[in-house]
Amino acid sequence: MSPHPRTRTAAVLSLATAAVLALAGCSGGDPADAAPAGAARDDLPTEDVVSGVRPNEAAAKLLPAEVRARGTIALATSVGAPPGTTYLPDGRTLVGIDVDFSTAVAKALGLELKRETAGFEVILPALGGGRYDVGTGNFGVTEERRRTIDFVTYVNDGQGFAVRSDSPLKEITDLTQLCGLKVATGAGTTFEQTLEKNRGRCAAAGKKPYEVNVFSENAAVWLSLRQGRSDVVMSTINGLRYAVGRQPGTRFLNEYRRLDVGFAFKKGTPLAPAFRAAVNGLKADGTYDRILRKWGITGSGIAESRISPPEIPAPTK
Protein backbone atom coordinates (compact mmCIF):
# COMPACT_ATOMS: atom_id res chain seq x y z
CA MET A 1 0.00 0.00 0.00
CA SER A 2 1.48 3.34 -1.02
CA PRO A 3 1.70 6.29 1.39
CA HIS A 4 -1.06 8.88 1.30
CA PRO A 5 -0.25 11.66 -1.23
CA ARG A 6 0.18 14.22 1.54
CA THR A 7 2.92 12.17 3.18
CA ARG A 8 5.04 10.97 0.27
CA THR A 9 7.39 13.94 0.62
CA ALA A 10 7.90 13.15 4.29
CA ALA A 11 8.73 9.56 3.42
CA VAL A 12 11.43 10.65 1.00
CA LEU A 13 12.83 13.30 3.29
CA SER A 14 12.99 10.74 6.08
CA LEU A 15 16.06 9.21 4.47
CA ALA A 16 17.95 12.44 4.95
CA THR A 17 16.82 12.93 8.53
CA ALA A 18 17.70 9.33 9.35
CA ALA A 19 21.21 9.90 8.01
CA VAL A 20 21.61 12.96 10.20
CA LEU A 21 20.54 11.00 13.26
CA ALA A 22 22.86 8.13 12.43
CA LEU A 23 25.79 10.53 12.17
CA ALA A 24 24.84 12.12 15.47
CA GLY A 25 24.82 8.72 17.12
CA CYS A 26 28.29 7.92 15.80
CA SER A 27 29.77 11.26 16.79
CA GLY A 28 28.60 11.36 20.39
CA GLY A 29 25.41 13.34 19.79
CA ASP A 30 22.31 13.29 21.96
CA PRO A 31 21.63 9.66 22.93
CA ALA A 32 17.92 10.38 22.83
CA ASP A 33 18.22 11.15 19.13
CA ALA A 34 20.11 7.97 18.40
CA ALA A 35 17.93 5.67 20.50
CA PRO A 36 15.17 4.81 18.03
CA ALA A 37 17.17 5.21 14.85
CA GLY A 38 18.15 1.61 14.29
CA ALA A 39 21.71 2.89 13.96
CA ALA A 40 24.59 1.84 16.17
CA ARG A 41 24.09 2.01 19.94
CA ASP A 42 26.50 1.30 22.78
CA ASP A 43 23.99 0.17 25.41
CA LEU A 44 22.59 -2.93 23.70
CA PRO A 45 22.70 -6.28 25.52
CA THR A 46 25.56 -8.40 24.19
CA GLU A 47 25.11 -11.59 26.20
CA ASP A 48 25.65 -14.67 24.00
CA VAL A 49 22.59 -16.86 24.53
CA VAL A 50 22.69 -18.91 21.32
CA SER A 51 26.21 -20.26 20.76
CA GLY A 52 25.45 -23.28 22.94
CA VAL A 53 22.45 -24.41 20.90
CA ARG A 54 22.87 -28.07 19.99
CA PRO A 55 21.72 -29.73 16.76
CA ASN A 56 18.10 -30.86 16.82
CA GLU A 57 18.21 -33.97 14.65
CA ALA A 58 14.47 -34.56 14.78
CA ALA A 59 13.84 -31.04 13.47
CA ALA A 60 16.63 -31.26 10.88
CA LYS A 61 15.13 -34.44 9.43
CA LEU A 62 12.08 -32.40 8.45
CA LEU A 63 14.15 -30.26 6.09
CA PRO A 64 13.97 -30.98 2.36
CA ALA A 65 16.84 -33.25 1.31
CA GLU A 66 18.18 -30.59 -1.04
CA VAL A 67 18.45 -28.05 1.79
CA ARG A 68 20.17 -30.52 4.11
CA ALA A 69 22.67 -31.37 1.38
CA ARG A 70 23.32 -27.71 0.61
CA GLY A 71 23.73 -26.84 4.26
CA THR A 72 22.88 -23.16 3.83
CA ILE A 73 19.80 -21.01 3.88
CA ALA A 74 19.33 -17.48 2.54
CA LEU A 75 17.74 -15.10 5.03
CA ALA A 76 16.71 -11.48 4.51
CA THR A 77 16.35 -9.24 7.54
CA SER A 78 15.26 -5.65 7.84
CA VAL A 79 17.27 -3.35 10.10
CA GLY A 80 15.10 -1.20 12.30
CA ALA A 81 15.36 -0.46 16.00
CA PRO A 82 15.94 -2.50 19.17
CA PRO A 83 14.81 -4.90 20.44
CA GLY A 84 14.36 -5.85 16.77
CA THR A 85 17.33 -5.99 14.42
CA THR A 86 19.85 -3.16 14.80
CA TYR A 87 23.61 -2.59 14.68
CA LEU A 88 26.28 -2.68 17.35
CA PRO A 89 28.55 0.40 17.55
CA ASP A 90 30.87 -1.12 14.94
CA GLY A 91 28.18 -0.37 12.37
CA ARG A 92 28.42 -3.89 10.93
CA THR A 93 27.36 -6.43 13.54
CA LEU A 94 23.64 -7.12 13.62
CA VAL A 95 21.92 -7.87 16.92
CA GLY A 96 18.37 -8.17 18.15
CA ILE A 97 15.50 -10.56 18.73
CA ASP A 98 15.29 -11.65 15.10
CA VAL A 99 19.05 -12.17 14.92
CA ASP A 100 19.14 -14.37 18.01
CA PHE A 101 16.12 -16.45 17.00
CA SER A 102 17.26 -16.98 13.40
CA THR A 103 20.79 -17.85 14.53
CA ALA A 104 19.50 -20.30 17.12
CA VAL A 105 17.12 -21.99 14.69
CA ALA A 106 19.85 -22.30 12.05
CA LYS A 107 22.20 -23.91 14.59
CA ALA A 108 19.48 -26.34 15.67
CA LEU A 109 18.88 -27.31 12.05
CA GLY A 110 22.57 -27.61 11.22
CA LEU A 111 22.39 -24.85 8.61
CA GLU A 112 24.68 -21.93 7.83
CA LEU A 113 22.82 -18.65 7.54
CA LYS A 114 23.48 -16.50 4.49
CA ARG A 115 22.11 -13.29 5.97
CA GLU A 116 21.42 -10.16 3.94
CA THR A 117 19.83 -6.90 5.00
CA ALA A 118 16.90 -5.63 2.96
CA GLY A 119 14.18 -3.01 3.25
CA PHE A 120 11.17 -4.09 5.29
CA GLU A 121 8.75 -3.41 2.45
CA VAL A 122 10.67 -5.49 -0.12
CA ILE A 123 11.30 -8.71 1.84
CA LEU A 124 7.88 -10.35 1.51
CA PRO A 125 7.66 -9.81 -2.28
CA ALA A 126 11.25 -11.08 -2.64
CA LEU A 127 10.31 -14.33 -0.89
CA GLY A 128 7.75 -15.07 -3.56
CA GLY A 129 10.35 -14.47 -6.24
CA GLY A 130 12.74 -17.00 -4.69
CA ARG A 131 15.50 -14.54 -3.87
CA TYR A 132 15.45 -15.55 -0.20
CA ASP A 133 14.38 -18.69 1.63
CA VAL A 134 13.17 -16.89 4.75
CA GLY A 135 12.66 -13.34 6.02
CA THR A 136 12.64 -11.65 9.40
CA GLY A 137 11.48 -8.16 10.33
CA ASN A 138 8.92 -8.49 13.11
CA PHE A 139 6.41 -9.63 10.50
CA GLY A 140 2.96 -9.85 12.06
CA VAL A 141 0.66 -12.66 10.95
CA THR A 142 -2.38 -11.17 9.19
CA GLU A 143 -5.05 -12.70 6.99
CA GLU A 144 -3.93 -10.56 4.07
CA ARG A 145 -0.34 -11.76 4.36
CA ARG A 146 -1.37 -15.37 4.87
CA ARG A 147 -2.76 -15.41 1.35
CA THR A 148 0.74 -15.21 -0.13
CA ILE A 149 3.11 -15.93 2.78
CA ASP A 150 3.62 -18.81 5.21
CA PHE A 151 4.71 -18.03 8.75
CA VAL A 152 6.37 -19.92 11.58
CA THR A 153 5.65 -18.01 14.78
CA TYR A 154 8.18 -17.33 17.51
CA VAL A 155 6.92 -14.33 19.52
CA ASN A 156 3.78 -12.31 20.08
CA ASP A 157 4.09 -8.56 19.65
CA GLY A 158 1.58 -6.25 18.03
CA GLN A 159 0.45 -2.67 17.61
CA GLY A 160 0.70 0.16 20.09
CA PHE A 161 1.01 3.92 20.44
CA ALA A 162 3.49 6.40 21.88
CA VAL A 163 3.30 10.17 22.34
CA ARG A 164 5.30 13.09 23.70
CA SER A 165 5.20 13.40 27.45
CA ASP A 166 3.10 16.57 27.23
CA SER A 167 0.38 14.94 25.13
CA PRO A 168 -3.14 15.01 26.63
CA LEU A 169 -3.80 11.53 25.23
CA LYS A 170 -4.16 8.83 27.89
CA GLU A 171 -5.18 5.74 25.91
CA ILE A 172 -6.32 4.86 22.39
CA THR A 173 -8.85 2.04 22.29
CA ASP A 174 -10.74 3.23 19.20
CA LEU A 175 -9.06 4.62 16.09
CA THR A 176 -11.61 7.45 15.96
CA GLN A 177 -9.71 8.89 18.93
CA LEU A 178 -7.01 9.72 16.37
CA CYS A 179 -9.36 11.88 14.30
CA GLY A 180 -7.81 15.28 13.58
CA LEU A 181 -4.35 14.12 14.64
CA LYS A 182 -1.17 13.36 12.70
CA VAL A 183 -0.01 9.77 13.11
CA ALA A 184 3.55 8.72 12.25
CA THR A 185 4.30 5.14 11.25
CA GLY A 186 6.53 2.96 9.07
CA ALA A 187 6.08 2.27 5.37
CA GLY A 188 4.73 -1.12 4.34
CA THR A 189 3.77 -2.11 7.88
CA THR A 190 0.59 -3.48 9.41
CA PHE A 191 0.30 -0.09 11.14
CA GLU A 192 0.05 1.74 7.84
CA GLN A 193 -2.44 -0.85 6.59
CA THR A 194 -4.58 -0.55 9.72
CA LEU A 195 -4.62 3.25 9.56
CA GLU A 196 -5.41 3.40 5.85
CA LYS A 197 -8.13 0.75 6.15
CA ASN A 198 -9.89 2.68 8.91
CA ARG A 199 -9.33 6.22 7.58
CA GLY A 200 -13.00 6.63 6.59
CA ARG A 201 -14.28 6.06 10.11
CA CYS A 202 -13.58 9.65 11.11
CA ALA A 203 -15.74 11.06 8.33
CA ALA A 204 -18.48 8.57 9.19
CA ALA A 205 -18.37 9.89 12.76
CA GLY A 206 -18.53 13.49 11.56
CA LYS A 207 -14.95 14.18 12.57
CA LYS A 208 -11.87 15.52 10.81
CA PRO A 209 -9.81 12.65 9.34
CA TYR A 210 -6.47 11.77 10.85
CA GLU A 211 -3.36 12.25 8.74
CA VAL A 212 -1.00 9.33 8.22
CA ASN A 213 2.65 10.36 8.04
CA VAL A 214 4.53 7.42 6.54
CA PHE A 215 8.30 7.13 6.81
CA SER A 216 10.79 4.66 5.36
CA GLU A 217 13.17 4.98 8.32
CA ASN A 218 12.38 4.51 12.00
CA ALA A 219 14.54 7.49 12.99
CA ALA A 220 12.36 9.85 11.00
CA VAL A 221 9.21 8.56 12.73
CA TRP A 222 10.55 9.63 16.12
CA LEU A 223 12.03 12.87 14.85
CA SER A 224 8.62 13.78 13.48
CA LEU A 225 7.07 13.18 16.91
CA ARG A 226 9.70 15.10 18.84
CA GLN A 227 9.53 18.07 16.49
CA GLY A 228 5.73 18.22 16.73
CA ARG A 229 5.11 17.33 13.09
CA SER A 230 3.26 14.23 14.31
CA ASP A 231 1.11 13.81 17.40
CA VAL A 232 1.27 10.03 17.81
CA VAL A 233 3.54 7.16 16.79
CA MET A 234 1.99 3.80 15.92
CA SER A 235 4.48 0.96 15.92
CA THR A 236 5.40 -2.35 17.55
CA ILE A 237 4.59 -2.77 21.22
CA ASN A 238 8.08 -4.00 22.08
CA GLY A 239 9.82 -1.39 19.93
CA LEU A 240 7.83 1.47 21.46
CA ARG A 241 8.50 0.36 25.02
CA TYR A 242 12.20 -0.03 24.32
CA ALA A 243 12.46 3.37 22.64
CA VAL A 244 10.56 5.46 25.19
CA GLY A 245 12.58 3.88 27.99
CA ARG A 246 15.66 5.50 26.49
CA GLN A 247 14.17 8.67 25.11
CA PRO A 248 13.28 11.55 27.47
CA GLY A 249 10.16 13.47 26.58
CA THR A 250 8.20 10.50 25.24
CA ARG A 251 5.95 7.91 26.80
CA PHE A 252 4.30 4.64 25.84
CA LEU A 253 0.57 5.15 25.56
CA ASN A 254 -0.97 1.69 25.36
CA GLU A 255 -1.25 -1.56 23.46
CA TYR A 256 -3.88 -1.50 20.74
CA ARG A 257 -3.83 -5.09 19.52
CA ARG A 258 -1.64 -8.16 19.61
CA LEU A 259 -0.30 -10.08 16.61
CA ASP A 260 1.72 -13.26 16.32
CA VAL A 261 5.13 -12.65 14.75
CA GLY A 262 6.95 -15.20 12.67
CA PHE A 263 9.60 -16.20 10.20
CA ALA A 264 8.21 -15.47 6.74
CA PHE A 265 8.39 -17.85 3.76
CA LYS A 266 6.86 -18.06 0.32
CA LYS A 267 3.46 -19.76 0.28
CA GLY A 268 3.68 -23.53 0.33
CA THR A 269 7.24 -23.67 1.62
CA PRO A 270 8.54 -27.11 2.68
CA LEU A 271 10.75 -25.41 5.29
CA ALA A 272 7.99 -24.53 7.75
CA PRO A 273 7.73 -27.88 9.63
CA ALA A 274 11.46 -27.92 10.36
CA PHE A 275 11.51 -24.32 11.56
CA ARG A 276 8.48 -24.93 13.77
CA ALA A 277 10.11 -27.98 15.34
CA ALA A 278 13.34 -26.04 15.87
CA VAL A 279 11.56 -23.16 17.65
CA ASN A 280 9.70 -25.59 19.89
CA GLY A 281 13.01 -27.31 20.60
CA LEU A 282 14.47 -23.98 21.72
CA LYS A 283 11.54 -23.62 24.12
CA ALA A 284 12.23 -27.07 25.54
CA ASP A 285 15.96 -26.52 26.13
CA GLY A 286 15.61 -23.05 27.68
CA THR A 287 17.19 -21.04 24.84
CA TYR A 288 13.86 -19.45 23.98
CA ASP A 289 13.38 -17.94 27.43
CA ARG A 290 17.00 -16.77 27.56
CA ILE A 291 16.51 -14.79 24.35
CA LEU A 292 13.34 -13.17 25.71
CA ARG A 293 15.02 -12.23 28.97
CA LYS A 294 18.05 -10.81 27.19
CA TRP A 295 15.88 -8.36 25.26
CA GLY A 296 13.38 -7.66 28.04
CA ILE A 297 10.34 -9.06 26.23
CA THR A 298 9.26 -11.95 28.42
CA GLY A 299 5.67 -10.78 28.00
CA SER A 300 5.87 -11.67 24.31
CA GLY A 301 6.48 -15.38 24.76
CA ILE A 302 4.19 -17.89 23.04
CA ALA A 303 3.09 -21.30 24.29
CA GLU A 304 4.25 -23.04 21.12
CA SER A 305 5.32 -22.23 17.58
CA ARG A 306 2.62 -22.63 14.93
CA ILE A 307 2.52 -22.53 11.15
CA SER A 308 0.44 -19.63 9.80
CA PRO A 309 -2.13 -19.43 12.61
CA PRO A 310 -5.22 -17.27 12.05
CA GLU A 311 -4.78 -13.56 12.63
CA ILE A 312 -5.52 -12.49 16.19
CA PRO A 313 -8.78 -10.50 15.90
CA ALA A 314 -8.59 -6.73 15.96
CA PRO A 315 -10.46 -4.70 18.59
CA THR A 316 -14.14 -4.44 17.74
CA LYS A 317 -14.22 -0.66 18.12
Side-chain angles (χ1 to χ4, degrees):
M1 185 177 296
S2 62
H4 190 268
R6 288 179 296 177
T7 62
R8 285 190 180 125
T9 300
V12 173
L13 290 177
S14 71
L15 297 176
T17 56
V20 171
L21 284 177
L23 289 173
C26 294
S27 61
D30 184 356
D33 284 345
R41 290 192 56 93
D42 59 6
D43 65 348
L44 295 165
T46 57
E47 177 189 2
D48 181 0
V49 295
V50 300
S51 64
V53 173
R54 297 181 178 180
N56 184 331
E57 289 298 330
K61 287 179 180 179
L62 299 175
L63 288 169
E66 181 271 331
V67 175
R68 294 196 72 184
R70 187 177 69 213
T72 63
I73 195 162
L75 179 143
T77 189
S78 66
V79 180
T85 303
T86 190
Y87 288 108
L88 286 180
D90 63 13
R92 297 183 303 273
T93 305
L94 292 171
V95 295
I97 301 164
D98 293 339
V99 174
D100 280 345
F101 273 115
S102 58
T103 300
V105 166
K107 288 179 70 66
L109 295 176
L111 297 174
E112 178 186 356
L113 274 181
K114 299 293 186 181
R115 194 191 308 271
E116 291 185 19
T117 59
F120 178 92
E121 64 271 23
V122 305
I123 291 178
L124 298 186
L127 293 172
R131 181 174 178 180
Y132 305 108
D133 298 307
V134 58
T136 59
N138 206 66
F139 291 116
V141 180
T142 67
E143 293 305 313
E144 180 178 355
R145 286 175 174 169
R146 290 205 314 155
R147 289 196 286 268
T148 57
I149 298 293
D150 280 341
F151 293 93
V152 173
T153 60
Y154 55 95
V155 292
N156 177 276
D157 195 351
Q159 303 176 340
F161 297 97
V163 293
R164 293 183 303 278
S165 297
D166 60 359
S167 172
L169 291 171
K170 302 300 182 184
E171 185 179 35
I172 294 174
T173 57
D174 187 324
L175 293 180
T176 57
Q177 292 172 262
L178 297 173
C179 296
L181 301 179
K182 297 177 181 179
V183 188
T185 196
T189 61
T190 59
F191 320 112
E192 180 187 6
Q193 294 168 5
T194 296
L195 292 167
E196 293 291 354
K197 180 180 179 180
N198 291 276
R199 184 188 290 273
R201 292 178 59 191
C202 291
K207 299 180 179 180
K208 181 180 178 181
Y210 51 73
E211 180 178 320
V212 184
N213 293 330
V214 180
F215 300 93
S216 296
E217 296 289 341
N218 194 60
V221 172
W222 289 94
L223 185 62
S224 174
L225 179 72
R226 292 197 300 274
Q227 292 184 342
R229 291 182 288 112
S230 296
D231 303 298
V232 186
V233 168
M234 187 177 188
S235 189
T236 67
I237 294 168
N238 289 331
L240 291 173
R241 284 183 166 142
Y242 195 100
V244 301
R246 292 156 176 79
Q247 205 171 183
T250 63
R251 60 183 169 89
F252 180 75
L253 198 58
N254 66 286
E255 295 184 11
Y256 176 65
R257 65 174 299 194
R258 282 275 174 174
L259 286 172
D260 288 316
V261 171
F263 294 104
F265 307 83
K266 69 178 180 180
K267 194 70 177 177
T269 179
L271 297 171
F275 269 68
R276 177 181 182 273
V279 173
N280 286 330
L282 297 175
K283 287 188 64 66
D285 70 17
T287 302
Y288 184 91
D289 288 337
R290 285 192 288 273
I291 294 173
L292 296 188
R293 288 195 298 269
K294 172 182 176 179
W295 294 102
I297 59 164
T298 54
S300 284
I302 57 176
E304 65 173 346
S305 176
R306 295 189 291 167
I307 297 174
S308 298
E311 177 181 350
I312 298 174
T316 56
K317 292 184 179 181

